[in-house]
Amino acid sequence: MNTQATPSPQFYLTAPAVCPYLPGEMERKVFTHLVGPRAAEMNDLLTQGGFRRSQNIAYRPACESCRACISVRILVNEFKPARTMRRVLAANSDIVGTMHPAQPSTEQFSLFRRYLDDRHQKGGMSDMSALDYAIMVEDTHVNTRIIEYRKRVPGAGIGDQPKGELMAVALSDLMSDGLSMVYSFFNPLLDRRSLGTFMILDHINRTRTLGLPHVYLGYWVKGSEKMHYKTRYQPQEHLTPRGWERYAEDGGV
């Protein structure tokens, strides 16, 4: 298959496979390669059009009989954390997030394996090696960053580089209109901290600081309990056949 950059992207369709989210459903995806000097621009356009990125591939669902996967983005300028989210922020006030170039480390991979072994033992990523992890982080032609969340060392100054325990990691794309969360993981033994929620709230704050309007959360799958959390971050927009429309959790779009 040709992966060289071309003036216009070439799209391909996957064969049907068992849906990992909804029982009894089959999934198909349309995808293209994100390579060459226009990769970042193309990633912006495709993400805004409902695609997601995995390494140097942009994909979106193209299922024959199901439209349950819906792209979600948070409207950061209007967002106000609910009481439970404010408690999460307070509980994690001792964590410092630092953005780095997309470079893997042994420490990151160790945390990644602990997360997979606890949360995704039967998932498609369950057998990923250190090399697989490095490829996931590094194989990008777009503006990708990795954010390390570490426990603040007592006595460290505001400008000091945090050297405390690595508690969570987020791989995210910096786009023209916001941040797109590609993948995140955390120490599974720290459930009480709600680190998944904390990382989303941190991305909202970072995006607002950048003066950009959106945080892209990927797909909300209607009917999938494990995807329900994405609708908690209001207000948000969902991509419909009519374009991006405001969504209300109690009343739909």
Side-chain angles (χ1 to χ4, degrees):
M1 186 178 293
N2 179 22
T3 60
Q4 297 300 313
T6 57
S8 298
Q10 300 179 37
F11 292 89
Y12 307 90
L13 188 64
T14 66
V18 175
C19 175
Y21 300 109
L22 299 177
E25 295 288 349
M26 301 294 289
E27 70 167 3
R28 299 190 77 177
K29 296 175 182 176
V30 61
F31 69 95
T32 189
H33 296 276
L34 291 169
V35 294
R38 296 183 60 227
E41 175 188 356
M42 189 59 61
N43 186 49
D44 279 16
L45 292 173
L46 291 175
T47 301
Q48 292 160 7
F51 280 72
R52 292 288 288 164
R53 186 184 70 80
S54 177
Q55 299 175 39
N56 66 0
I57 297 291
Y59 68 90
R60 69 170 296 172
C63 306
E64 296 177 359
S65 60
C66 179
R67 297 293 182 270
C69 294
I70 300 172
S71 293
V72 175
R73 67 185 186 188
I74 303 168
L75 301 173
V76 302
N77 293 327
E78 300 179 53
F79 175 81
K80 294 182 180 179
R83 181 181 301 176
T84 56
M85 295 177 184
R86 293 196 297 271
R87 286 201 291 264
V88 170
L89 289 171
N92 292 288
S93 60
D94 59 341
I95 292 181
V96 179
T98 306
M99 184 176 285
H100 303 282
Q103 296 176 347
S105 71
T106 301
E107 188 181 21
Q108 292 169 16
F109 177 68
S110 177
L111 183 63
F112 177 69
R113 281 296 346 159
R114 290 174 65 188
Y115 176 77
L116 290 183
D117 292 342
D118 185 84
R119 299 297 180 92
H120 300 285
Q121 295 180 3
K122 298 181 180 180
M125 303 173 74
S126 61
D127 59 350
M128 285 181 65
S129 65
L131 178 59
D132 295 326
Y133 174 76
I135 292 172
M136 182 179 80
V137 174
E138 291 181 321
D139 192 4
T140 174
H141 292 250
V142 304
N143 299 322
T144 304
R145 302 289 186 271
I146 199 157
I147 305 174
E148 293 186 341
Y149 295 91
R150 295 180 179 275
K151 193 167 185 179
R152 182 182 289 108
V153 176
I158 295 177
D160 295 341
Q161 284 288 97
K163 298 296 184 182
E165 176 189 356
L166 182 64
M167 306 180 77
V169 174
L171 185 69
S172 301
D173 290 342
L174 176 58
M175 307 197 323
S176 60
D177 69 331
L179 290 173
S180 176
M181 298 186 70
V182 176
Y183 195 78
S184 60
F185 53 94
F186 51 85
N187 186 335
L189 300 180
L190 303 176
D191 274 344
R192 291 186 178 182
R193 283 183 174 268
S194 300
L195 289 168
T197 297
F198 174 70
M199 283 189 282
I200 294 176
L201 295 173
D202 180 69
H203 276 68
I204 292 171
N205 290 333
R206 288 176 183 274
T207 303
R208 186 183 291 125
T209 299
L210 291 169
L212 300 174
H214 303 125
V215 170
Y216 289 83
L217 291 183
Y219 299 118
W220 168 61
V221 184
K222 189 174 184 179
S224 173
E225 183 61 30
K226 63 183 178 181
M227 288 291 183
H228 179 69
Y229 74 92
K230 294 187 179 183
T231 61
R232 295 174 52 217
Y233 302 89
Q234 302 280 342
Q236 63 182 230
E237 291 180 327
H238 288 190
L239 185 59
T240 77
R242 298 174 295 276
W244 288 99
E245 295 186 335
R246 199 178 185 93
Y247 172 84
E249 189 171 14
D250 56 352
V253 294

